[in-house]
Amino acid sequence: MPRGTSEVSEPMYFVLAALRAGPLHGHAISKSIKELSGGRVQPSVGTLYGILERLNERGVITVDREETVNGRNRRYFRITDEGAALVEAEARRMQEAASLVLRPSGA
């Protein structure tokens, strides 16, 4: 998986970060990823649903509920406790790595 640990790619990280706010459906997850990343991460629809499928298979997200809106099925996903722990660990790892570069020179 590119740009991240072997456990979490950058797009996966943003999916998990988006779901920390509560259950969301695919389009809402996509909008949240774009907002959280400042527009830098914008997975295609197919990529997003592939990520959701892999995260669901790993047990870090789960389907919260399904609804039909205007004749279309809408699946809501939520982060699990394992997923929350994973994204928090990844955030700590990135923070530690960033501190090596961002600390004042000569420190």
Side-chain angles (χ1 to χ4, degrees), residues 44-85:
S44 68
V45 172
T47 299
L48 175 61
Y49 280 93
I51 290 168
L52 292 169
E53 184 177 313
R54 286 190 300 280
L55 292 174
N56 190 41
E57 288 169 358
R58 290 172 53 186
V60 295
I61 69 169
T62 191
V63 175
D64 185 70
R65 68 187 184 278
E66 294 187 35
E67 296 178 350
T68 302
V69 178
N70 296 326
R72 297 181 61 149
N73 290 333
R74 187 176 282 178
R75 184 176 287 176
Y76 287 78
F77 297 89
R78 68 175 169 80
I79 194 168
T80 63
D81 291 342
E82 182 181 334

Side-chain angles (χ1 to χ4, degrees), residues 3 9-12 14-15 26-27 29-35 37 39-52 54:
R3 294 185 295 194
S9 68
E10 186 176 37
M12 285 179 171
F14 280 102
V15 167
H27 183 69
I29 293 169
S30 183
K31 285 175 54 176
S32 183
I33 291 170
K34 185 176 180 181
E35 182 179 313
S37 71
R40 198 172 45 77
V41 178
Q42 298 182 53
S44 68
V45 172
T47 299
L48 175 61
Y49 280 93
I51 290 168
L52 292 169
R54 286 190 300 280

Side-chain angles (χ1 to χ4, degrees), residues 17-30:
L19 291 175
R20 291 182 74 227
L24 296 172
H25 58 82
H27 183 69
I29 293 169
S30 183

